[in-house]
Amino acid sequence: MSVIEVKTTPYNDQKPGTSGLRKKTKVFMEGNYLPNFIQSIFDSLPADELKGSTILVSGDGRFYNKDAIRIICEIAAGNGVGTVWTGKDGLCSTPAASAIIREREKGIAYGGIILTASHNPGGPENDFGVKYNTSNGGPALEALTGKVFEKSKGITRYLKVDLPPFDLHAIGTYDLVPGKFKVEVIDPTEDYVALLKTIFDFPKLQTFVKRPDFSMVYDGMHGVAGPYGKRIFCEELGLPSSCLTNCDPKEDFGGGHPDPNLVYAHDLVEVMKVLKPDSIIESTPEFGAAGDGDCDRNMILGKGFFVTPSDSVAVIASLASASIPYFKSGLKGVSRSMPTSGALDRVAEKMGLAMYETPTGWKFFGNLMDAGRLSICGEESFGTGSDHIREKDGIWAVL
């Protein structure tokens, strides 16, 4: 395997935020901007641990996603990675990525590079993002992201291997450098759905959604949430495809802003008559939900009303032990971000649970989860989740 050393010069603005590095798409596309950042990630990891390792590289399907995957695969090969998993069509939701890193092949993955700018718009004129998740499936902590930034300021070269083409649209294994490097194109819903089935009672959910007095609509906002909605709500639970709207992923999210709130999920808000409760008709669904660009956020609506994210996490926590098999033995604790309202505090007090307030950033919930102190958590910015993975999880919140 011939490793090529490509000379480069640093960019001074590659400091990751709480959810990785986000910039305009054109910035990532210019010069060596993306290769520099990816090499800086690999330079921040122990070379002996990277050698022969398996990592996930996939994204939310926004513009430049597929090109970036191919570039990252070449740099991964140049840095000794042995196997890259990537979702069919280059797609993988952020919560599913966490599940794949933690669960697939008994958790052999060393980490993952997730290509997403979450709820930000996509397209040539809009946003792109890259973040690194560690072997626990959660976003890298500041000690590592700080190291990545330091490496990026002094980078002089990146390593790559020229790889033959491979088909992102076909599930299968591509042995691109025999015995040295391969790409496995996987079903990005498989491991995630298997995990959800250990959490929820799917047969009971199947029975519930067939009730004549229940109806729902799910808005994928043309993000990666769409394929997960089809697989879970239609194929697994048996709901008709008519319950889905905007569930075909598009590189520019259909020209919209894939942020599930009352402003940007206007199609769903109109269907649910949230702003016009006096206009409710017989066909108005009982339940509505939406996911964002990478499917880690959620919005929950009732017929004619909006459930705030701060209330949603409190409702889930209050009923989890009684209604979700995963929590049948009780909750370890609950947590919310600092800007999130105190509804969860009231639940914790009444139930005798430990309650933790954290800074903004899902990684802080992950610390508590890894310490065995936290079961359910949420934030006011439409993120809710539990310790089944180390990311917020939009579909989990809907279920």
Side-chain angles (χ1 to χ4, degrees), residues 6-137:
V6 181
K7 294 188 182 304
T8 190
T9 54
Y11 297 85
N12 61 9
D13 63 346
Q14 294 193 326
K15 183 176 183 178
T18 58
S19 295
L21 183 67
R22 292 183 188 172
K23 300 287 180 182
K24 292 299 180 184
T25 306
K26 286 185 174 179
V27 172
F28 273 102
M29 295 175 68
E30 71 182 24
N32 291 333
Y33 198 89
L34 176 63
N36 273 24
F37 187 66
I38 299 303
Q39 184 63 54
S40 297
I41 293 173
F42 289 135
D43 284 344
S44 302
L45 303 170
D48 59 328
E49 295 180 9
L50 272 180
K51 187 175 182 180
S53 66
T54 297
I55 66 169
L56 173 71
V57 179
S58 211
D60 63 12
R62 66 183 57 234
F63 183 83
Y64 194 53
N65 184 65
K66 293 175 184 176
D67 291 336
I69 289 171
R70 296 179 193 280
I71 291 168
I72 294 168
C73 284
E74 293 197 334
I75 298 172
N79 283 273
V81 172
T83 302
V84 165
W85 295 332
T86 190
K88 182 177 179 288
D89 300 319
L91 297 177
C92 187
S93 76
T94 294
S98 184
I100 289 167
I101 292 168
R102 293 171 60 85
E103 304 288 336
R104 189 174 182 84
E105 296 185 18
K106 299 181 179 179
I108 67 166
Y110 187 74
I113 296 173
I114 304 173
L115 308 175
T116 178
S118 190
H119 56 291
N120 292 357
E125 304 300 325
N126 288 307
D127 300 331
F128 195 80
V130 179
K131 71 172 183 174
Y132 181 74
N133 281 28
T134 58
S135 60
N136 76 340

Side-chain angles (χ1 to χ4, degrees), residues 95-397:
S98 184
I100 289 167
I101 292 168
R102 293 171 60 85
E103 304 288 336
R104 189 174 182 84
E105 296 185 18
K106 299 181 179 179
I108 67 166
Y110 187 74
I113 296 173
I114 304 173
L115 308 175
T116 178
S118 190
H119 56 291
N120 292 357
E125 304 300 325
N126 288 307
D127 300 331
F128 195 80
V130 179
K131 71 172 183 174
Y132 181 74
N133 281 28
T134 58
S135 60
N136 76 340
L141 298 177
E142 280 99 333
L144 180 53
T145 58
K147 189 174 181 181
V148 171
F149 181 45
E150 289 304 313
K151 293 287 186 182
S152 76
K153 292 190 290 185
I155 191 170
T156 59
R157 58 88 180 104
Y158 68 89
L159 306 176
K160 61 173 282 192
V161 173
D162 284 334
L163 299 174
F166 55 93
D167 188 357
L168 278 172
H169 307 295
I171 291 174
T173 300
Y174 299 88
D175 201 4
L176 302 179
V177 182
K180 296 285 188 179
F181 181 79
K182 63 184 177 181
V183 170
E184 292 184 25
V185 179
I186 65 174
D187 176 351
T189 67
E190 180 182 16
D191 299 280
Y192 178 66
V193 171
L195 178 60
L196 289 178
K197 286 183 174 180
T198 70
I199 298 169
F200 299 99
D201 188 329
F202 269 61
K204 282 188 177 179
L205 286 170
Q206 290 165 356
T207 300
F208 173 74
V209 300
K210 290 187 175 84
R211 285 173 49 152
D213 60 348
F214 178 79
S215 55
M216 73 168 279
V217 60
Y218 182 74
D219 189 339
M221 302 193 79
H222 291 302
V224 78
Y228 292 87
K230 291 176 184 177
R231 171 70 190 272
I232 293 164
F233 302 130
C234 298
E235 295 177 26
E236 297 293 339
L237 297 185
L239 284 162
S241 59
S242 58
C243 78
L244 304 177
T245 183
N246 300 324
C247 278
D248 296 314
K250 295 184 178 180
E251 290 189 337
D252 65 348
F253 305 109
H257 192 138
D259 192 353
N261 60 38
L262 295 175
V263 175
Y264 296 118
H266 43 74
D267 292 349
L268 180 65
V269 170
E270 174 59 31
V271 168
M272 297 300 298
K273 307 300 180 186
V274 173
L275 304 180
K276 303 174 183 176
D278 293 339
S279 302
I280 289 173
I281 56 177
E282 187 176 349
S283 62
T284 302
E286 295 292 328
F287 181 83
D292 70 331
D294 65 331
C295 200
D296 64 347
R297 298 185 181 211
N298 73 95
M299 179 172 68
I300 305 296
L301 304 175
K303 181 186 286 189
F305 67 93
F306 165 59
V307 182
T308 74
S310 300
D311 285 348
S312 179
V313 66
V315 169
I316 292 170
S318 70
L319 299 171
S321 297
S323 57
I324 303 174
Y326 182 80
F327 300 113
K328 64 183 178 182
S329 60
L331 303 181
K332 302 166 189 172
V334 295
S335 182
R336 61 168 176 81
S337 61
M338 181 274 294
T340 304
S341 81
L344 187 61
D345 305 51
R346 301 287 184 87
V347 170
E349 183 179 5
K350 186 168 184 178
M351 296 178 68
L353 296 171
M355 212 301 296
Y356 304 94
E357 182 181 80
T358 70
T360 298
W362 204 261
K363 63 186 74 175
F364 301 109
F365 293 136
N367 289 342
L368 290 164
M369 291 174 186
D370 288 342
R373 297 185 180 186
L374 176 60
S375 293
I376 289 175
C377 54
E379 55 190 15
E380 92 296 340
S381 56
F382 296 83
T384 323
S386 90
D387 62 348
H388 66 292
I389 56 173
R390 295 297 182 268
E391 292 278 6
K392 63 193 97 168
D393 191 342
I395 293 283
W396 176 90

